[in-house]
Amino acid sequence: MEKANKILKSSFLAIVLLFLFSDIFMYFSVAEGVTPDEARQLRDEVREMFYHAFDGYMEHAFPRDELRPLTCTGEDTLGGYALTLIDSLDTLALFGDRERFAASVEWIGKNIRFDINKTVSVFETTIRILGGLLSAHLIASDYATGMRIPSYENQLLHLSEDLARRLLPAFDTPTGIPFGSVNLLHGVDENESKITSTAGGGTLTLEFGVLSRLTNNPVFEQVTKNAVRGIWARRSKINLVGAHINVFTGGWTQKDAGIGTSIDSFYEYLLKAYLLFGDEEYLYIFQEAYKAAMHYLYNDPWYVEVNMNSAAIVWPLFNSLQAFWPGLQVLAGDIDPAVRTHTAFFSVWKRYGFTPEGFNLATLSVQHGQNSYPLRPELIESTYWLYKATRDSRYLAAGRDMVASLQYGARCPCGYCHILDVESHKQEDHMESFFLAETVKYLWLLFDLAAGSDNLVENGPYYYIFSTEGHLLPATPEISLVSEHCSYFGAFCKNDSMRKRPHLSDISFGSQETKSTGIQNPTRFLSGTISHDSGLIKSVCRGLTYEQKLGISFLAATGRTQTEEPRDHQETGPNPSQSSVVSDLITEHSPSYDIRSDKSVPEHLSSYDTRDDKSVCKSSPGNSKSESSQL
């Protein structure tokens, strides 16, 4: 079976490479370079694209959620609270549009409320609404951004906290992995599905973590970390995760492993949570997950979907959500495979003018039923990151092609339309909010970088981490150094509450919030995810593996810890490049730990003797098991 699987891999990939790469290499060899003057013109054209769509939304759809750009009407798609406006806030700020940014923030602060009888997606609400509010708050409240609003009094932060409290009941599951949907007024419906996607349950850490650090309330950060632990603890023995999981039993209901649909941003948030928060647990999980992905899913330059247990190919398919991966590899410093994969993915765009939702690598055709392009940003996002890392003009040429496709194929009377069929270019009367939050944002950043950037991201006061919705989250001391000790001049020392991690029973939720969200005892959201015997161990424990120190273990479907079996840590992907756009951020957080190395244990933990697995763990003062389980 394994031999047949290898033959299948080599045969279809050879055909795909021969067919597609001949076209794309010829394109890059003859493509005219983009001059700085043309880059400025393209940047201005992308800005006009944004305002064509934004003004169309404000005139014809606001305050409904999204625009119908063909008929110039609006529709409510998420919760009926001006989704597109909230999702667009930090793009307005990035463009330096003080007037509309300030007016939008003021309107939202006065008019948006979340005490409504609406059942919403936890994932979409987090990345679009919560992320949009938090990003705009951080920009509007800070003089250093140049976009501070003098009359602003933290209204968006208050809205963010209220919204997050209303999402908390979704995390009340035996595994800690949240339900996919929750009612903002009544909590989780008794008939709510117990099946959620890996991306849906594992892509909440940035937004909730930022909120915890801004409000000094650790509950938000902890429930999302528990969700990640709950998913990772149920990985296969070869460190792959499936696509869908039962949040009550922990059993996988879809065992296809990949980097695209239903899983994609799980990988993304592991690395970005480390970069923003400096939490080494996320870094360790990312390294293990990334090595497994590169070993079992990567068929240079493509990625396939495999069975999470056997690694047998189940889908030789490129789906459009995979296109974020080269950008993530840039952040991780693995440039060489990112370049090759982007070239392959862009060849599909060149063939159709857009990327279909699915392209079958065995038949070299659009996957049946997956022929649409809903204005997705992922390939554009990776194009921006690769240009930022390499300054190779091919990525500007690719961006120019993308602008042309959008302008001639997707532009509608009031905005930009979904492409219903990439082969016929038939349009659909819908425009997702992420077109303004991400698609045009990454295009604008690409050309602004080439033209001589002067924007908040490239020349602002902080490093910015982009959320999976493209929202700007700054690595400010308040967010990234919240756990630092006040041992040196300039350390962030607002108060000790986050460092000491107060018992959750001491946190006041208030009677009104408790009633409206269905929260009776917030501490229950932190229980049941990892057993106390395998909880987060902060003591100096001789004889424990790094996984055991972090409390990362395999769990059966019932949630009980299984006996761990030895893993082959020699299985790695290709040797990564030594270049990284944010390598200085990584170094700042963990000077002795190289994200690009194959070491499974950081240097500062390497002194622990792991030969005697029966040695006794003696907790250091202030780090008892009971306290550790509260973290």
Side-chain angles (χ1 to χ4, degrees), residues 41-276:
Q41 293 172 6
L42 287 166
R43 177 193 60 190
D44 294 342
E45 183 176 356
V46 172
R47 183 186 177 98
E48 187 278 331
M49 291 169 63
F50 171 84
Y51 281 110
H52 172 63
F54 181 79
D55 291 344
Y57 166 76
M58 294 301 293
E59 182 177 350
H60 301 289
F62 175 78
R64 304 194 77 176
D65 280 340
E66 291 180 322
L67 172 69
R68 295 171 63 88
L70 270 176
T71 57
C72 298
T73 56
E75 59 182 331
D76 286 330
T77 55
L78 188 59
Y81 31 56
L83 166 63
T84 296
L85 180 62
I86 294 174
D87 225 3
S88 304
L89 288 175
D90 62 350
T91 309
L92 289 169
L94 184 63
F95 286 170
D97 192 339
R98 290 180 175 82
E99 182 178 350
R100 271 182 270 204
F101 177 67
S104 299
V105 168
E106 182 179 1
W107 185 89
I108 291 167
K110 290 180 179 179
N111 294 279
I112 295 298
R113 295 293 179 269
F114 296 114
D115 54 343
I116 53 178
N117 186 16
K118 293 277 188 179
T119 297
V120 300
S121 162
V122 174
F123 171 73
E124 297 291 352
T125 302
T126 297
I127 67 172
R128 300 199 200 195
I129 299 298
L130 184 58
L133 292 172
L134 288 170
S135 179
H137 160 73
L138 289 161
I139 294 170
S141 60
D142 191 344
Y143 277 107
T145 64
M147 295 295 293
R148 186 182 183 278
I149 302 172
S151 60
Y152 180 68
E153 296 180 347
N154 297 331
Q155 294 94 330
L156 302 190
L157 180 59
H158 300 323
L159 282 172
S160 299
E161 187 173 12
D162 177 58
L163 175 60
R165 290 178 188 272
R166 297 176 186 280
L167 299 178
L168 279 181
F171 294 86
D172 189 12
T173 66
T175 63
I177 306 168
F179 285 98
S181 299
V182 65
N183 186 283
L184 295 177
L185 197 61
H186 303 298
V188 178
D189 187 90
E190 61 180 4
N191 297 316
E192 178 62 37
S193 171
K194 294 180 176 63
I195 309 301
T196 194
S197 69
T198 297
T203 312
L204 311 167
T205 51
L206 292 188
E207 293 83 0
F208 275 69
V210 167
L211 181 61
S212 271
R213 289 155 190 252
L214 294 179
T215 61
N216 293 316
N217 185 341
V219 170
F220 304 117
E221 182 171 1
Q222 191 58 58
V223 293
T224 54
K225 176 180 275 192
N226 282 351
V228 171
R229 288 171 173 167
I231 293 170
W232 183 244
R234 292 166 175 86
R235 68 200 183 278
S236 71
K237 295 299 178 68
I238 56 175
N239 282 348
L240 294 177
V241 294
H244 291 92
I245 193 169
N246 186 304
V247 301
F248 265 58
T249 67
W252 293 99
T253 59
Q254 184 179 353
K255 298 182 180 180
D256 298 349
I259 62 166
T261 304
S262 300
I263 303 176
D264 51 352
S265 47
F266 172 74
Y267 289 100
E268 178 185 3
Y269 269 35
L270 289 175
L271 178 57
K272 289 183 176 180
Y274 168 71
L275 293 175
L276 188 59

Side-chain angles (χ1 to χ4, degrees), residues 541-544 549 605-613 615:
C541 308
R542 292 180 70 255
L544 297 180
K549 292 186 181 76
L605 293 179
S606 61
S607 60
Y608 296 146
D609 185 356
T610 59
R611 291 171 295 179
D612 180 9
D613 58 6
S615 59

Side-chain angles (χ1 to χ4, degrees), residues 350-403:
K350 286 294 295 180
R351 184 174 183 182
Y352 298 106
F354 303 98
T355 48
E357 289 290 78
F359 180 79
N360 193 302
L361 299 175
T363 64
L364 298 177
S365 61
V366 175
Q367 180 72 10
H368 179 70
Q370 299 184 28
N371 53 343
S372 66
Y373 170 67
L375 305 176
R376 291 204 185 278
E378 283 78 13
L379 186 60
I380 299 170
E381 176 185 1
S382 288
T383 304
Y384 161 68
W385 281 111
L386 276 164
Y387 178 71
K388 188 170 184 177
T390 67
R391 293 303 197 270
D392 191 322
S393 61
R394 77 169 77 174
Y395 301 111
L396 296 177
R400 179 176 57 193
D401 271 22
M402 293 166 176
V403 169

Side-chain angles (χ1 to χ4, degrees), residues 528-539:
T529 304
I530 301 291
S531 66
H532 283 223
D533 290 337
S534 60
L536 181 62
I537 300 171
K538 299 183 72 68
S539 332

